[in-house]
Amino acid sequence: MACKPRGSSAGMEVNKSYTAAMPRFGAFTVAHAGAAVLVTGSAWLGGVALQLQQPALWSLARYGSVVAAALVALGLLAGAWWKARRLPAAVVLLVASSALAALAFGSTGLRAADRLAAVLPAALEGRDVSVTGVVAGLPQRGSSGLRFRFDVEAAQAQGAAVVLPPVLALGWYKGFHEDAALTQPQLALAAGQRWRFTLRLRQPHGNFNPHGFDSELYWFEQGVRAVGYVRDAPAPQLLTQAAGHPVERWRQAVRDGIDAHVTDRRLAGVLAALAVGDQSAIEHDDWELFRATGIAHLVSISGLHVTMFAWLAGLLVAAGWRRSSRAPLWLPVQAAA
């Protein structure tokens, strides 16, 4: 009885057809993938670096044209590759790298120009402005009161609608007396809430000292284009308890839980800093102690990493503990994790 060959003629024909239909870059093989990633990645970084060297920003329309041209070039390259199925690897890398560099240059400039255009009108500086928006992060506690980021939704000045920068950095001070305490509305302030405030705003300004901290650049990097403080009259109004920023609301809940269950204020501040990154909860004397002992960086940076590892280890231990029939009888899962 004659034996049939392993691959039938029909199967071999299917394989040949499938192989012929696969798009290929001519001599471009898997061996060139590392070089391609290096070249295109370097092109992207080069485009970003080139834009950062510009002494002055272009207009939004000009950056938009660069981005559009880069996207068109990438689209044409993809279409040519799909149609021809064979393109020289050098041509593909040259066109793709040039388009990616242009895309990086244009998109970086577009973001910077858009952020720079979001400026507080000079006519609104020092005037009362009624602003409705959402608390964008954990309110930072300090000796003078609270500081927080505020996402603007609507604003009015003397009954007329005005346009403000989308993100504000605000202070809500508790008073000038030494024994002044936070009011009930200030204690109720939390991440993710929608409020209506009466604000006094100004453009970000800072001291221009050689080798000193550039506060204006810091605010620009953070997307904050106006700073100010909350006025007590008219009274601030809490409109919605949960209006956005679910991650920040979760962090707020963890910090509130620490405050509620840890009676030692200094210990609660350190735990809040390690658990949710709320470094403002640490008292000034403790910061001085951390700096003197050389462990300030552990609290400010490594503490979050330790907390993330602790959570992951706790989840893994809990999962393994529940799979055992004897371990929960010896020690509850919650205690083991």
Side-chain angles (χ1 to χ4, degrees):
M1 184 176 179
C3 296
K4 293 183 179 181
R6 283 189 172 184
S8 63
S9 58
M12 295 176 65
E13 291 297 330
V14 171
N15 287 334
K16 290 180 180 179
S17 301
Y18 177 75
T19 303
M22 290 179 62
R24 290 183 295 175
F25 287 118
F28 188 77
T29 63
V30 177
H32 299 90
V37 171
L38 179 62
V39 171
T40 53
S42 300
W44 181 273
L45 294 178
V48 173
L50 181 63
Q51 193 283 320
L52 294 178
Q53 302 305 312
Q54 287 190 288
L57 292 174
W58 294 346
S59 64
L60 288 171
R62 196 171 180 182
Y63 284 120
S65 300
V66 174
V67 171
L71 293 176
V72 169
L74 290 174
L76 292 176
L77 177 63
W81 166 66
W82 185 258
K83 183 177 180 179
R85 305 297 173 119
R86 286 178 177 274
L87 287 176
V91 173
V92 173
L93 285 179
L94 178 62
V95 176
S97 300
S98 301
L100 286 175
L103 182 61
F105 176 90
S107 59
T108 303
L110 194 66
R111 290 184 59 200
D114 179 67
R115 183 167 294 179
L116 192 65
V119 62
L120 176 70
L124 295 179
E125 287 193 290
R127 295 175 52 188
D128 286 349
V129 183
S130 177
V131 184
T132 301
V134 179
V135 180
L138 282 177
Q140 303 296 302
R141 305 165 183 172
S143 58
S144 59
L146 304 172
R147 296 202 63 85
F148 59 97
R149 303 290 173 85
F150 198 59
D151 290 342
V152 176
E153 294 181 338
Q156 289 186 338
Q158 295 182 346
V162 294
V163 178
L164 298 179
V167 182
L168 309 175
L170 301 178
W172 195 354
Y173 305 114
K174 59 184 180 181
F176 297 100
H177 302 288
E178 294 183 359
D179 56 348
L182 295 176
T183 63
Q184 188 59 40
Q186 289 174 325
L187 293 173
L189 184 71
Q193 295 175 338
R194 178 178 287 111
W195 284 77
R196 180 178 293 117
F197 295 123
T198 299
L199 306 175
R200 286 281 180 91
L201 301 173
R202 64 175 178 84
Q203 296 180 9
H205 303 295
N207 296 324
F208 193 66
N209 297 324
H211 309 292
F213 180 72
D214 192 342
S215 57
E216 292 187 34
L217 177 61
Y218 170 77
W219 290 127
F220 184 82
E221 292 173 344
Q222 298 296 314
V224 174
R225 302 293 291 142
V227 298
Y229 62 92
V230 178
R231 301 268 287 171
D232 293 329
Q237 300 177 19
L238 174 59
L239 304 178
T240 308
Q241 188 67 35
H245 298 284
V247 175
E248 295 299 324
R249 295 205 309 269
W250 174 78
R251 294 178 65 213
Q252 181 80 54
V254 173
R255 191 180 77 174
D256 292 345
I258 294 174
D259 291 340
H261 293 88
V262 180
T263 56
D264 188 337
R265 293 297 89 196
R266 298 181 64 182
L267 179 58
V270 175
L271 290 176
L274 294 177
V276 297
D278 182 18
Q279 299 178 21
S280 67
I282 299 179
E283 297 185 3
H284 178 74
D285 294 341
D286 288 333
W287 272 123
E288 292 298 329
L289 176 62
F290 297 153
R291 293 189 184 97
T293 54
I295 62 170
H297 67 287
L298 296 176
V299 179
S300 59
I301 300 176
S302 302
L304 290 177
H305 300 163
V306 172
T307 302
M308 293 174 61
F309 175 78
W311 284 346
L312 179 61
L315 292 175
L316 293 177
V317 170
W321 213 261
R322 291 188 177 94
R323 295 178 180 274
S324 173
S325 58
R326 296 183 179 181
L329 300 176
W330 173 64
L331 187 66
V333 175
Q334 294 81 357

